[in-house]
Amino acid sequence: MEHILIWIYSILLPYSFYRGIRGCLRIITSYNYIKSEKLDVNKSYSKRKIKFHILIPVLREQETVGNTIKNFSGLKGNYQVYLITTGKENFEKIHSNRIPQKYKSMPITKRVIETILNANPNLKKKFNIIHYPKTFGTVAYQYNYALKQLSEFADPADFILTYNADSVIENNVLEKYSEMILNNKDCMVVQQSAAFLANYKKLSPFLRSIALLQTRWTLAHEIPRILTTNGAWGFTEGAHLVAHGLCINLGFMNQIGGFPQKFLSEDLTLG
């Protein structure tokens, strides 16, 4: 038994060193790429402006959705935001014992959004509510329901963007998407990677460790895979998609059947 353990350790130890060193080198690669990237939209905007439909699924986001609307109200570009509410929220509020009591005492997220938009009529020009009426399903059900609604009036050449309710983005991000799409022939998908450090100082020590771990994954794995494979499968791994910051052509999305609904991680499966 002792010999077997020594043999296992002799394999795992070098592999651990290899993974650690590779991770460090990849983080440096990602950092250099981010640092060197410059936004140049002159060529892109001389051609045409792309219409973006931003999809944000919400479930028990009463405390967050006000900031969501604020964060997405000042973007530069041609866009509409769709806050995708769900009948699941009210159903669980009434019938589920697992929902924290504080959420049961609050109005549902749909009512909060309606109150904010009614108090600020100008916001209605950019923000819309799409209500998924059923009481079951994961976030993929909300996305696909919204896609079906969009397909009835939106141009297939438009692009959709998916974000979370707590996403924080720069106001020129749509210009960057446009630059990449218009300067790359037949571009159908753009992936924006994310760091999770915006509220780092406000987090508990445990949540700080999670934020650092997730950010390290972005820098050591997600971005290098995108840069190396350009969306195709390489020798050992390929780039995957993440719903936070996914930009994809609407017609293409409908062509491939929308988000997979059989899996919890619908974005990775889509990739």
Side-chain angles (χ1 to χ4, degrees), residues 56-65 83-100 102-114 129-138 142 165:
I56 305 177
V58 292
L59 173 65
R60 290 186 290 277
E61 299 289 355
Q62 297 95 325
E63 298 175 296
T64 306
V65 73
L83 298 164
I84 314 170
T85 58
T86 171
K88 182 179 180 179
E89 181 172 333
N90 194 53
F91 178 83
E92 291 184 340
K93 178 179 179 179
I94 298 172
H95 299 285
S96 176
N97 294 324
R98 296 184 295 177
I99 304 303
K102 74 170 186 176
Y103 289 112
K104 290 195 173 187
S105 64
M106 296 178 181
I108 60 174
T109 307
K110 184 173 184 289
R111 297 285 180 262
V112 175
I113 298 171
E114 289 171 341
I129 297 174
I130 293 181
H131 184 66
Y132 171 66
K134 298 184 180 180
T135 59
F136 61 86
T138 60
Q142 290 173 262

Side-chain angles (χ1 to χ4, degrees), residues 28-85:
I28 294 172
T29 299
S30 297
Y31 175 77
N32 289 334
Y33 172 75
I34 295 170
K35 185 179 179 181
S36 63
E37 271 296 284
K38 302 297 181 183
L39 179 63
D40 179 13
V41 299
N42 292 332
K43 293 182 180 179
S44 299
Y45 272 62
S46 66
K47 299 176 183 178
R48 66 181 176 92
K49 280 197 173 184
I50 296 173
K51 177 69 176 287
F52 293 96
H53 304 276
I54 302 175
L55 307 183
I56 305 177
V58 292
L59 173 65
R60 290 186 290 277
E61 299 289 355
Q62 297 95 325
E63 298 175 296
T64 306
V65 73
N67 286 331
T68 304
I69 294 173
K70 181 179 179 180
N71 291 334
F72 285 86
S73 62
L75 301 181
K76 298 177 182 178
N78 185 15
Y79 73 98
Q80 289 290 127
V81 179
Y82 304 87
L83 298 164
I84 314 170
T85 58

Side-chain angles (χ1 to χ4, degrees), residues 85-231:
T85 58
T86 171
K88 182 179 180 179
E89 181 172 333
N90 194 53
F91 178 83
E92 291 184 340
K93 178 179 179 179
I94 298 172
H95 299 285
S96 176
N97 294 324
R98 296 184 295 177
I99 304 303
Q101 188 59 39
K102 74 170 186 176
Y103 289 112
K104 290 195 173 187
S105 64
M106 296 178 181
I108 60 174
T109 307
K110 184 173 184 289
R111 297 285 180 262
V112 175
I113 298 171
E114 289 171 341
T115 300
I116 294 173
L117 296 185
N118 288 334
N120 300 272
N122 286 334
L123 291 175
K124 291 184 177 181
K125 298 177 182 179
K126 286 295 182 184
F127 289 85
N128 308 268
I129 297 174
I130 293 181
H131 184 66
Y132 171 66
K134 298 184 180 180
T135 59
F136 61 86
T138 60
V139 68
Y141 287 74
Q142 290 173 262
Y143 277 138
N144 288 336
Y145 184 82
L147 286 172
K148 185 177 180 180
Q149 305 300 310
L150 283 176
S151 298
E152 294 180 0
F153 62 87
D155 191 322
D158 293 348
F159 277 74
I160 64 167
L161 283 170
T162 59
Y163 282 108
N164 300 330
D166 58 353
S167 297
V168 178
I169 58 177
E170 298 294 329
N171 64 359
N172 66 347
V173 68
L174 300 183
E175 295 178 339
K176 187 62 178 177
Y177 281 123
S178 295
E179 175 199 3
M180 291 185 174
I181 294 169
L182 294 173
N183 290 333
N184 291 275
K185 186 180 179 181
D186 300 326
C187 178
M188 293 293 180
V189 182
V190 180
Q191 178 68 64
Q192 178 191 13
S193 298
F196 302 84
L197 305 175
N199 60 341
Y200 180 77
K201 293 182 179 180
K202 298 179 181 180
L203 301 176
S204 66
F206 175 73
L207 291 179
R208 285 184 181 184
S209 66
I210 298 298
L212 289 172
L213 179 65
Q214 191 64 38
T215 302
R216 181 192 179 279
W217 175 267
T218 298
L219 295 173
H221 297 282
E222 186 177 312
I223 294 177
R225 287 175 178 176
I226 293 173
L227 295 178
T228 302
T229 65
N230 195 27

